[in-house]
C-alpha cells in the first residue's frame, strides 16, 4: 500500500508527460472573439484603477498606482477550443491516481498513527561509497502519515479543480503532468528515511515549483518569478546541503535512526573550520534551518513567494499554500531529536518565525492583488509553525500545518473561483458586490476566513491558539517575544482576511458592467473540491486536536517526535497558562474583523484617510519593507556590475584581446604587410634579387 501511495502520482506523471510530448494534435485555439474576455484585465486602464481606488479612498501616489496595476496580474493564458482525447486521458489518469493515493493515505493514517503501527519499507540500496550507505526506503511513521493525508488530499482536490479551471488552456496534459510530478516529489520528501533521500525530494519539489510558476512561459513576468524562486531557494538549499554534510561528519551517517541515536552524545562536540571552532550540533541545525527558511519563505529568504503567484491559481493552492512551503516545518519536526540538543538553534528558529509572522501580516493588509494577500497570509502562518517548533511545541506546529493546509487551500481555490467568475481579474479594487452572483464561493470563503482568523470551532482556532499558548508557557524570553508578535499578527490577519472578503464580495461593483453581468458561479468540477476542503476547514481542528495536542499526544506521535523533559511547551500550556492568554487570540481576532467591517463596509473612505495621514508608513508597508530594493542594491546590481566588468575587461579585453582576437589580428597584419611585396612589377622583383645578392656577398665576405 505504501508503495502505491508514493508511486501512483509518478506513473500518472509519466502518462500525462507522454501525452504532452507525443500525444498527437493539441487542442486548437478558439476564435479570437471567444477568448477575448480572458484578457479583460488588460482592457482596464489606469483610469479604471483610479476610479476604483477613489471608491475606497485609498489615496496613494501615482507610482504606487502603476505598481498596483502591474501587480494585479491576469491569471490567464491563450484560450483553447474543446479538449482533445489526450487532454481527457491526461486529466482522468492524473486526477484518478492522486485520488486513489489520497484514499490509501487516509487508510494508512488510521493504521499507522491512530492504531500505532509505524514501519519502514526498504526498496533497494541506493548509494554505497566508503562509510556512506544510503538505502532507498519509505519511512511511514506518524509524522509521515499526517503529511501523506495533507499532500494527497489537497493534491487530489487541486487536480480535480484544475480540470475546470484550466479548461481553456491548450496545454492541459503538461499542466496535469507537472502537478503529478510535484506530488510524487513531495511524497518522496515526506517518506524519506535519510537526509539524502529527503534532499532528493526537496530538490524535486523545487523543480516542479519552477516548472509550474513558469507554466505560462511566454509571459516575461512568469519567467522572472520562476527564476527568482529558483535563485532564492539556491541560497537556502546551499545551507541545507552544508547541514547534511555537517550531520554526516558528526554522526558518520545520514540515516535518521542512526543520527537520532547519536545526537545525545554530540552535545559539546565542535566542528573546526579554518581557525574557528563551532558547536557542532548548533551549526548543523542552523544550516539545516537555512534550507527551511528558503523553502518555507521565512524572513530574509521570503521574497520569492509573493512573486510565485504568477503561476496558475491551482499551483498557488497546492504548492505555495498547503504542501511545498510546509516542507521546512516538516523537516524541523522530523529532526526534533537533533534540534532538541541545540537550544541556540531553536531560539533562532523561534525569533525568525515570530518576525516572519508579524512582517508578513503587516505587508498583507496593504496589498490589492487577491492572490498576493493570501500569499502573505501563508508566509505569516508559516512563521507561527516555526516559532511553535522553536519552543519545542512540535505537535502544535504539525497540527497548524495540518489545519492550515485545508483552510488555506480553500482560500486560494476560492480566490480562483472569484478570478474565474470575473474574467480572470485579480485586483480587489475591480471587484465588489458579487456575493449574489457566486453564492457558493462566497459561503466557502466565509468559512475559510473564519478558520484563518481563528474563531471558535473552526480549524484554525484549535491549532493557532495552542501555538500562542505554548509560546507564552515556554517561559523563555524568545517564547514571550514570539507570543507578542503572534498576537499582533493575529490582529492583522483577521483584519486583512476580512478586508479581502468585504472588498471582493460586498459594496458597489467596481468592475465594468459587462464583466459584472457575465459573472457566474464556477462549474461543479471546481465546486466539489471546494466543498471537500470546506469540510477540512470546519472539522480538522475539532476532530483531530486530541490526537495532535491533547493529553494523549505522546501515544499518538510515538517516536516520530521527541521533546526533552522540561521542554514540553504544550504540557505547560495545558497547565500553566493564564486565562487572558487563552482568550487573547479570540479577542484580537474579533477586533480585527470589526475594524475591517468598519473600514470597508460602514465607512469605506476611512482607510484612504488613514493611508493619507500615515503615508510614509503605508508606502513602506505597501512596498514590502523594501526587501526587494535592498537585495537589488546589495546583491543584484553589484553582481551585474561584476559580471559586466569581467565580460568587457576580462573576457573581451584580456582573453579575447590577447588570445584568439589578438593572434588573429597579428596574423592578419603580418599577412597584409607581406602581401604588399607581391606588387606584380618585374623591376621590383629584380631589385629584390639584387638586394639579395648583395647581402649574400656581404655575408660571405664577413663570415666566409
Amino acid at each position: 500500500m505504501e508503495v502505491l501511495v508514493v508511486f501512483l502520482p509518478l506513473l500518472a506523471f509519466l502518462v500525462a508527460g507522454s501525452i504532452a510530448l507525443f500525444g498527437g494534435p493539441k487542442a486548437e485555439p478558439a476564435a479570437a472573439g471567444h477568448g477575448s474576455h480572458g484578457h479583460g484585465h488588460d482592457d482596464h486602464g489606469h483610469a479604471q484603477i483610479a476610479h476604483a481606488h477613489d471608491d475606497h479612498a485609498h489615496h496613494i501616489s501615482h507610482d504606487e498606482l502603476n505598481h498596483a496595476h502591474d501587480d494585479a496580474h491576469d491569471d490567464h493564458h491563450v484560450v483553447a477550443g474543446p479538449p482533445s482525447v489526450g487532454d481527457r486521458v491526461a486529466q482522468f489518469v492524473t486526477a484518478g491516481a492522486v485520488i486513489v493515493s489520497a484514499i490509501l493515505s487516509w487508510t494508512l493514517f488510521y493504521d499507522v498513527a491512530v492504531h500505532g503501527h509505524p514501519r519502514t519499507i526498504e526498496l533497494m540500496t541506493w548509494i554505497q561509497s566508503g562509510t556512506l550507505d544510503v538505502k532507498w526506503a519509505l519511512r511511514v511513521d506518524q509524522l509521515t502519515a499526517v503529511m501523506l493525508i495533507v499532500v494527497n488530499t489537497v493534491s487530489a482536490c487541486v487536480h480535480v479543480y484544475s480540470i475546470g479551471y484550466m479548461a481553456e488552456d491548450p496545454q492541459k496534459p503538461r499542466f496535469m503532468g507537472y502537478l503529478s510530478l510535484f506530488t510524487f516529489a513531495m511524497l518522496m520528501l515526506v517518506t524519506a528515511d535519510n537526509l539524502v533521500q529527503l534532499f532528493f525530494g526537496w530538490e524535486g519539489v523545487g523543480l516542479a515549483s519552477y516548472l509550474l510558476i513558469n507554466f505560462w512561459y511566454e509571459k516575461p513576468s512568469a519567467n522572472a518569478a520562476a527564476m527568482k524562486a529558483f535563485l532564492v531557494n539556491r541560497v537556502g538549499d546551499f545551507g541545507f546541503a552544508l547541514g547534511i554534510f555537517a550531520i554526516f561528519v558528526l554522526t558518520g551517517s545520514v540515516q535518521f535512526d542512526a543520527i537520532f541515536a547519536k545526537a545525545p552524545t554530540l552535545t559539546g562536540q565542535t566542528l573546526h573550520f579554518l581557525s574557528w571552532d563551532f558547536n557542532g550540533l548548533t551549526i548543523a541545525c542552523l544550516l539545516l534551518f537555512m534550507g527551511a527558511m528558503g523553502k518555507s519563505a521565512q524572513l530574509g529568504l521570503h521574497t520569492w513567494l509573493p512573486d510565485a503567484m504568477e503561476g496558475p491559481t491551482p499551483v498557488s493552492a497546492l504548492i505555495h499554500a498547503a504542501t511545498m512551503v510546509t516542507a521546512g516545518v516538516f523537516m524541523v519536526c522530523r529532526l526534533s531529536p537533533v534540534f532538541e540538543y541545540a537550544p541556540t538553534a531553536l531560539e533562532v528558529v523561534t525569533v525568525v518565525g515570530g518576525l516572519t509572522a508579524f512582517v508578513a501580516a503587516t505587508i498583507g493588509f496593504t496589498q490589492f492583488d487577491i492572490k498576493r494577500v493570501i500569499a502573505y497570509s501563508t508566509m505569516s502562518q508559516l512563521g507561527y509553525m516555526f516559532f511553535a517548533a522553536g519552543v519545542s511545541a512540535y505537535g502544535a506546529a504539525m497540527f497548524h500545518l495540518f489545519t492550515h493546509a485545508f483552510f488555506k487551500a480553500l482560500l486560494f481555490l476560492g480566490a480562483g473561483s472569484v478570478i474565474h467568475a470575473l474574467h480572470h481579474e485579480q485586483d480587489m479594487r475591480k471587484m465588489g458586490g458579487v456575493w449574489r452572483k457566486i453564492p457558493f464561493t462566497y459561503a466557502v470563503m466565509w468559512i475559510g476566513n473564519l478558520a484563518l482568523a481563528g474563531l471558535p470551532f473552526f480549524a484554525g482556532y484549535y491549532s493557532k491558539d495552542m501555538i500562542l499558548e505554548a509560546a507564552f508557557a515556554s517561559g523563555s524570553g524568545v517564547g514571550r517575544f514570539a507570543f507578542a508578535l503572534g498576537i499582533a499578527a493575529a490582529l492583522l490577519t483577521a483584519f486583512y482576511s476580512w478586508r479581502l472578503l468585504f472588498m471582493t464580495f460586498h459594496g458597489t461593483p467596481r468592475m465594468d458592467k459587462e464583466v459584472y453581468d457575465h459573472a457566474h458561479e464556477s462549474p461543479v468540477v471546481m465546486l466539489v473540491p471546494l466543498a471537500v476542503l470546506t469540510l477540512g476547514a470546519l472539522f480538522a481542528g475539532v476532530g483531530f486536536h486530541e490526537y495532535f495536542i491533547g493529553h494523549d499526544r505522546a501515544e499518538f506521535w510515538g517516536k516520530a517526535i521527541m521533546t526533552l523533559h522540561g521542554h514540553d511547551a504544550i504540557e505547560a500550556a495545558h497547565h500553566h497558562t493564564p486565562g487572558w492568554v487563552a482568550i487573547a487570540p479570540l479577542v484580537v481576532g474579533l477586533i480585527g474583523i470589526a475594524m475591517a467591517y468598519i473600514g470597508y463596509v460602514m465607512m469605506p473612505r476611512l482607510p484612504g484617510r488613514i493611508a493619507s495621514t500615515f503615508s510614509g508608513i503605508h508606502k513602506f508597508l505597501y512596498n514590502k519593507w523594501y526587501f526587494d530594493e535592498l537585495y537589488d542594491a546589495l546583491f543584484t546590481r553589484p553582481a551585474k556590475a561584476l559580471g559586466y566588468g569581467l565580460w568587457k575587461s576580462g573576457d573581451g579585453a584580456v582573453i579575447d584581446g590577447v588570445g584568439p582576437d589578438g593572434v588573429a589580428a597579428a596574423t592578419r597584419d603580418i599577412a597584409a604587410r607581406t602581401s604588399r611585396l607581391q606588387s606584380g612589377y618585374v623591376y621590383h622583383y629584380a631589385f629584390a634579387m639584387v638586394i639579395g645578392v648583395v647581402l649574400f656577398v656581404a655575408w660571405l665576405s664577413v663570415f666566409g
Side-chain angles (χ1 to χ4, degrees), residues 305-326:
L305 181 59
D307 290 359
M309 299 303 107
E310 283 291 343
T313 299
V315 174
S316 304
L318 176 62
I319 297 182
H320 307 123
T323 54
M324 186 191 82
V325 290
T326 63

Side-chain angles (χ1 to χ4, degrees), residues 469-480:
E469 291 174 26
F472 184 89
S474 69
S476 64
V478 293
R480 298 289 172 88

Side-chain angles (χ1 to χ4, degrees), residues 18-289:
S18 299
I19 292 172
L21 289 173
F22 314 112
K26 306 293 188 296
E28 293 296 326
H34 175 74
S36 61
H37 69 271
H39 297 280
H41 173 75
D42 296 328
D43 296 337
H44 301 308
H46 287 290
Q48 177 67 23
I49 287 186
H51 174 70
H53 186 73
D54 292 339
D55 287 344
H56 280 276
H58 290 285
H59 303 294
I60 56 177
S61 69
H62 180 71
D63 289 340
E64 288 173 301
L65 282 176
N66 290 338
H67 277 298
H69 182 81
D70 294 337
D71 287 346
H73 299 291
D74 180 8
D75 192 6
H76 188 63
H77 189 54
V78 62
V79 179
S84 66
V85 174
D87 293 341
R88 288 303 190 202
V89 171
Q91 291 170 337
F92 176 79
V93 169
T94 54
V98 179
I99 289 171
V100 172
S101 287
I103 294 170
L104 294 177
S105 296
W106 281 95
T107 304
L108 271 177
F109 173 78
Y110 280 100
D111 182 34
V112 172
V114 177
H115 298 300
H117 299 139
R119 58 257 200 183
T120 299
I121 298 92
E122 185 176 316
L123 302 179
M124 65 178 184
T125 297
W126 187 17
I127 301 172
Q128 278 187 325
S129 177
T131 60
L132 179 65
D133 186 8
V134 180
K135 308 291 186 186
W136 194 290
L138 303 180
R139 184 187 186 93
V140 186
D141 60 4
Q142 293 85 342
L143 205 57
T144 302
V146 170
M147 292 301 295
L148 287 177
I149 59 174
V150 167
V151 172
N152 281 322
T153 303
V154 175
S155 182
C157 290
V158 169
H159 274 75
V160 174
Y161 181 94
S162 298
I163 295 172
Y165 192 86
M166 302 296 287
E168 296 180 343
D169 195 279
Q171 296 291 330
K172 301 176 189 69
R174 181 165 65 91
F175 181 77
M176 301 302 287
Y178 286 169
L179 288 182
S180 294
L181 173 64
F182 167 80
T183 305
F184 167 70
M186 192 70 199
L187 293 173
M188 289 309 312
L189 190 158
V190 301
T191 57
D193 187 46
N194 58 74
L195 287 170
V196 177
Q197 188 179 333
L198 188 147
F199 191 73
F200 169 78
W202 193 273
E203 295 303 307
V205 296
L207 167 65
S209 173
Y210 173 84
L211 294 172
L212 285 163
I213 294 170
N214 202 29
F215 179 75
W216 291 323
Y217 52 82
E218 61 285 329
K219 290 172 60 179
S221 55
N223 300 158
M227 285 300 297
K228 186 175 183 179
F230 182 83
L231 292 173
V232 172
N233 274 278
R234 289 316 92 213
V235 177
D237 291 355
F238 178 68
F240 189 46
L242 290 179
I244 294 174
F245 297 156
I247 290 291
F248 181 71
V249 169
L250 290 169
T251 66
S253 177
V254 292
Q255 203 274 333
F256 289 140
D257 287 335
I259 294 168
F260 299 160
K262 291 187 178 180
T265 67
L266 300 176
T267 305
Q269 188 167 329
T270 60
L271 283 175
H272 184 78
F273 179 71
L274 299 179
S275 60
W276 296 287
D277 289 315
F278 299 97
N279 182 285
L281 278 182
T282 298
I283 200 68
C285 289
L286 287 175
L287 288 168
L288 292 169
F289 178 60

Side-chain angles (χ1 to χ4, degrees), residues 379-579:
M379 177 181 159
S380 182
Q381 298 305 305
L382 289 167
Y384 279 95
M385 299 175 206
F386 274 108
F387 78 70
V391 296
S392 298
Y394 303 104
M398 289 302 301
F399 189 32
H400 197 51
L401 185 159
F402 178 75
T403 60
H404 173 265
F406 292 107
F407 65 73
K408 189 54 62 67
L410 174 63
L411 286 172
F412 260 118
L413 295 185
S417 184
V418 172
I419 294 167
H420 182 272
L422 299 180
H423 295 184
H424 310 281
E425 182 57 70
Q426 292 180 214
D427 191 334
M428 294 190 298
R429 292 165 298 181
K430 296 182 187 177
M431 299 180 183
V434 297
W435 69 272
R436 290 186 179 88
K437 294 273 189 175
I438 46 176
F440 186 85
T441 301
Y442 175 62
V444 299
M445 290 290 279
W446 256 85
I447 293 170
N449 276 308
L450 287 167
L452 175 59
L455 266 67
F457 312 117
F458 292 88
Y461 168 74
Y462 295 92
S463 56
K464 187 162 70 174
D465 281 26
M466 176 49 72
I467 288 175
L468 291 168
E469 291 174 26
F472 184 89
S474 69
S476 64
V478 293
R480 298 289 172 88
F481 175 73
F483 169 77
L485 291 176
I487 289 294
L491 172 66
L492 295 172
T493 298
F495 174 79
Y496 67 65
S497 60
W498 289 82
R499 168 183 179 263
L500 180 151
L501 189 78
F502 295 140
M503 287 188 72
T504 302
F505 293 100
H506 291 273
T508 304
R510 297 180 297 280
M511 68 290 288
D512 286 349
K513 185 177 185 300
E514 181 183 359
V515 174
Y516 179 79
D517 290 342
H518 286 86
H520 55 87
E521 189 62 271
S522 299
V524 173
V525 73
M526 292 171 63
L527 299 183
V528 170
L530 290 177
V532 173
L533 293 170
T534 299
L535 293 176
L538 286 169
F539 303 115
V542 67
F544 292 90
H545 74 280
E546 280 298 327
Y547 290 123
F548 285 78
I549 56 173
H551 293 290
D552 296 328
R553 64 191 179 282
E555 288 74 17
F556 174 78
W557 290 114
K559 296 181 180 179
I561 286 176
M562 195 274 281
T563 305
L564 291 177
H565 180 71
H567 287 199
D568 194 344
I570 296 177
E571 185 67 22
H574 281 307
H575 299 290
H576 307 295
T577 303

